[in-house]
Amino acid sequence: MSRTDDLQQRFQAFAGRPGRVAFAPGRINLIGEHTDYSGGFVLPASLALGTWTVAAARDDRKVRVLSEGQHETEVFALDIAPAAATKRWSDYVAGVAWALQQAGCKLRGADLLIASDVPMGSGLSSSAALEVSVAHALLAVAGASLSPLQIARVCQRAENEFVGARCGIMDQFAATHGESGRALMLDCADYSWKSAQLPAKHCWVVANTMVRHALAHGEYNVRRAESEELTAYMHRRIPQRTRLAELSIAETKELMSGLPATLASRLRHIVGENRRVHEAYAALDSGNVALLGQLLFASHGSLRTDYEVSCRELDILVDIAGAVPGVLGARMIGGGFGGCTLTLIEAQHVETLLAQLRLNYVQSTGREPATYICEFGGAGGMLA
Ligand code: ADP
Ligand code: MG
């Protein structure tokens, strides 16, 4: 039975009538870490993993939603506001309903069944996959439509203002604009983008440290505040520049000379990482995988030393990968202080990598890393 038929059948059991099926993918960000919130560049690719939402209209103005794996069915009024957020997973769903209506969409009540194969909190963006699939489903049930960019912005707003998480636009953008087998270089300031083919004979492997250190959340907010401080400083010193991502090497050096050491290092990461996104895009476009790999290692070094968001477990995984034959590059991904790494490797060596990661990481930390070999997919939308 196809995945869609299987979901239809389970929806019939849940809601007693057939439904429409929406899908949205998770994503992997190849490079461009901690660049989005200062209006810089990122290079995500959408995955084959994703989240399905099956939906049928109701006659009242309620949304009843079951997410497989969550046990509880949640019910909320369509006319909900952020003040009614519950701090439960269903806030992501209610937030999308709220933000769609804020964007002028006339919604109908609905029964929703959600199923996903994106691991949660692993840097593969389960939250945006959920939001975008719910947005497609609610729009379909109401007979309404929005452009992919409008959907991405609505979903980001849901996460920022309803869930209360300060994410950039990247995850939602990848879920709405992904192209199969290609990476998107996105300018987070104006949403312009272009895509390049991913290398065919190489694999991208995600390895999970299985740790999340307590300082992750606080330090993320500190980095955001530092980047705002740096932007304000840049405006004062070089008024013609509108964002950190545009600074030349000479301008960066000049700015760094007037900054305390920590802020100077933060600036070096942001400017360098944006430059690496451009270089990585060019490397993809010209098929230069060796350069792509070097850029991943350089990104990790910068995140570890200048941005100071890595941790022992992430460094161990990157070091293990670096010693495996056929590995071109590796880096930490996501906010840092735990979470996952990403390794680029020649396809024929991937089994060796998985074995080495497991063996050596267990030896160093006593933990077994979860691993995932990326399979790429396209944008979200309606399947049935
Ligand atoms: P990431 O997006 O990197 O996976 P986040 O912390 O941004 O991590 O989002 C994870 C949260 O999103 C989960 O804790 C949960 O609340 C919600 N979520 C994501 N997918 C689902 C799902 N299929 N069902 C219920 N909640 C989900
Ligand atoms: Mg997320």
Side-chain angles (χ1 to χ4, degrees), residues 125 127-128 159 171:
S125 192
S127 60
E159 190 155 340
D171 300 351

Side-chain angles (χ1 to χ4, degrees), residues 67 70 89 92 114 116 119-127 130 159:
S67 177
Q70 300 290 329
W89 66 269
Y92 289 87
I114 290 160
S116 179
M120 291 184 213
S122 294
L124 302 181
S125 192
S126 68
S127 60
L130 173 61
E159 190 155 340

Side-chain angles (χ1 to χ4, degrees), residues 23 25-26 45-49 174 177-182 198 374-380:
F23 174 81
S46 54
L47 297 172
L49 295 179
H177 292 75
E179 293 181 353
S180 199
R182 298 176 74 83
L198 291 161
C374 293
E375 282 178 50
F376 298 99

Side-chain angles (χ1 to χ4, degrees), residues 4-279:
T4 313
D5 290 344
D6 175 51
L7 285 165
Q8 293 274 24
Q9 214 170 66
R10 283 187 273 163
F11 186 78
Q12 183 76 40
F14 168 65
R17 58 200 192 285
R20 305 281 313 274
V21 184
F23 174 81
R27 62 97 191 98
I28 180 84
N29 185 27
L30 305 182
I31 196 162
E33 211 61 78
H34 286 280
T35 51
D36 60 339
Y37 47 80
S38 54
F41 296 86
V42 290
L43 190 63
S46 54
L47 297 172
L49 295 179
T51 300
W52 290 260
T53 302
V54 193
R58 291 171 61 94
D59 291 332
D60 58 15
R61 293 193 59 75
K62 283 191 179 136
V63 175
R64 190 169 72 97
V65 55
L66 174 64
S67 177
E68 296 192 326
Q70 300 290 329
H71 309 298
E72 300 272 303
T73 299
E74 304 269 346
V75 181
F76 60 84
L78 204 48
D79 307 292
I80 196 171
T86 60
K87 303 283 169 210
R88 290 198 296 272
W89 66 269
S90 53
D91 284 352
Y92 289 87
V93 180
V96 169
W98 169 76
L100 282 169
Q101 292 174 99
Q102 291 290 307
C105 300
K106 302 260 174 289
L107 296 187
R108 296 184 63 181
D111 285 337
L112 306 176
L113 177 68
I114 290 160
S116 179
D117 54 17
V118 189
M120 291 184 213
S122 294
L124 302 181
S125 192
S126 68
S127 60
L130 173 61
E131 291 151 11
V132 172
S133 85
V134 165
H136 279 294
L138 288 175
L139 286 168
V141 155
S145 73
L146 289 178
S147 71
L149 181 58
Q150 286 172 318
I151 293 176
R153 295 187 68 177
V154 157
C155 291
Q156 183 198 13
R157 186 168 183 204
E159 190 155 340
N160 290 165
E161 296 180 34
F162 199 103
V163 176
R166 290 181 85 189
C167 62
I169 189 78
M170 167 172 64
D171 300 351
Q172 293 81 5
F173 196 92
T176 49
H177 292 75
E179 293 181 353
S180 199
R182 298 176 74 83
L184 309 181
M185 184 170 114
L186 169 66
D187 182 336
C188 297
D190 65 6
Y191 312 127
S192 61
W193 61 285
K194 52 188 179 175
S195 73
Q197 186 94 40
L198 291 161
K201 296 189 180 113
H202 295 75
C203 292
W204 300 85
V205 177
V206 176
N208 196 326
T209 61
M210 313 306 280
V211 300
R212 171 79 57 196
H213 294 295
L215 29 70
H217 184 69
E219 289 292 317
Y220 179 79
N221 288 333
V222 171
R223 294 303 175 283
R224 285 194 71 133
E226 286 169 342
S227 93
E228 279 159 24
E229 198 180 332
L230 285 168
T231 302
Y233 175 70
M234 173 192 70
H235 285 320
R236 286 197 301 277
R237 294 280 302 267
I238 313 177
Q240 68 272 27
R241 287 277 170 261
T242 55
R243 55 178 169 156
L244 302 173
E246 281 169 11
L247 289 169
S248 69
I249 292 173
E251 287 167 339
T252 307
K253 282 196 175 136
E254 185 197 323
L255 289 183
M256 281 174 68
S257 67
L259 286 167
T262 301
L263 277 178
S265 299
R266 304 292 190 254
L267 180 63
R268 184 163 51 206
H269 170 74
I270 294 169
V271 175
E273 187 74 357
N274 276 297
R275 193 166 297 274
R276 281 186 288 275
V277 175
H278 288 278
E279 289 170 2

Side-chain angles (χ1 to χ4, degrees), residues 205 207-209 293-294 296-304 310-324 327-333 339-344 353 356-357 360-361 369:
V205 177
N208 196 326
T209 61
Q294 286 163 22
L296 295 184
F297 280 134
S299 171
H300 185 76
S302 175
L303 287 160
R304 184 187 60 221
S310 189
C311 63
R312 179 175 165 264
E313 294 85 354
L314 287 166
D315 295 343
I316 288 173
L317 283 178
V318 167
D319 288 346
I320 297 169
V324 174
V327 165
L328 297 144
R331 69 177 194 90
M332 55 155 281
I333 56 173
C340 298
T341 62
L342 176 66
T343 300
L344 174 61
L353 174 66
Q356 291 292 315
L357 285 172
N360 294 324
Y361 190 69

